[in-house]
Amino acid sequence: MKKYSLEDWVAYMRGTLDEQVQLDMEELLLHSEEAMAEYMLALDAVEGELPEPEDHDVFADRMMQQLYGKSARSSGRASEKLRHRHWYEHPMFHYTIAASITFVLLISGVFNNMSGGPHALLDQPSGSMTESIIQKAFSWLDALK
């Protein structure tokens, strides 16, 4: 590939080169770090000549439209929709449910029975598991008093 001088890169930025030469230079920028370094030096040289976008929001919207087919403001609306989700979709709700279930299992002694071996759950006295959980919960609450 051809090596371009600093003046060539400045002419590229000003848009005074032939279209095919510009395409060749863009291709070189994609593949050569040395060309990118020359381009950055040329960018510093013409920094005062380059126009600033008049309205940064309009510029950002136009770039987003060209890149992704949507505006920057519409992506903001999408994030607003995420903030207005239902209470049962919030992660804290799920954490609370998981913690509650874990707490019930802890006070019922299910984890204590698991440490007794594989047959510990089968060796429980007959009756409802719910009654057993409730009795253990009340005995735990009585112990706290």
Side-chain angles (χ1 to χ4, degrees), residues 29-48:
L29 281 174
L30 291 174
H31 300 290
S32 172
E33 289 183 29
E34 186 178 324
M36 182 58 81
E38 284 288 323
Y39 175 80
M40 296 304 289
L41 288 173
L43 186 62
D44 289 339
V46 296
E47 185 175 358

Side-chain angles (χ1 to χ4, degrees), residues 2 6 21 24 29-30 32 74 76 83 87 106 116 128 135 139:
K2 184 179 176 186
L6 186 63
V21 175
D24 291 341
L29 281 174
L30 291 174
S32 172
S74 68
R83 282 186 237 143
W87 60 272
L106 280 172
S128 169
Q135 287 175 357
S139 67

Side-chain angles (χ1 to χ4, degrees), residues 6-94:
L6 186 63
E7 291 79 23
D8 293 332
W9 288 110
V10 169
Y12 168 79
M13 288 180 194
R14 290 182 179 146
T16 59
L17 295 176
D18 182 34
E19 185 177 338
Q20 184 58 42
V21 175
Q22 286 182 355
L23 291 174
D24 291 341
M25 292 176 89
E26 289 170 4
E27 185 68 28
L28 184 62
L29 281 174
L30 291 174
H31 300 290
S32 172
E33 289 183 29
E34 186 178 324
M36 182 58 81
E38 284 288 323
Y39 175 80
M40 296 304 289
L41 288 173
L43 186 62
D44 289 339
V46 296
E47 185 175 358
E49 298 175 30
L50 297 175
E52 291 266 341
E54 293 176 16
D55 186 2
H56 292 286
D57 291 333
V58 172
F59 178 75
D61 280 342
R62 191 169 18 133
M63 288 293 110
M64 291 293 287
Q65 183 69 32
Q66 288 177 357
L67 290 174
Y68 303 111
K70 60 183 176 183
S71 70
R73 291 186 187 133
S74 68
S75 65
R77 287 187 205 122
S79 64
E80 287 175 15
K81 287 181 184 177
L82 288 177
R83 282 186 237 143
H84 296 296
R85 54 185 168 194
H86 297 286
W87 60 272
Y88 55 84
E89 293 175 343
H90 197 279
M92 196 60 175
F93 174 74
H94 297 277

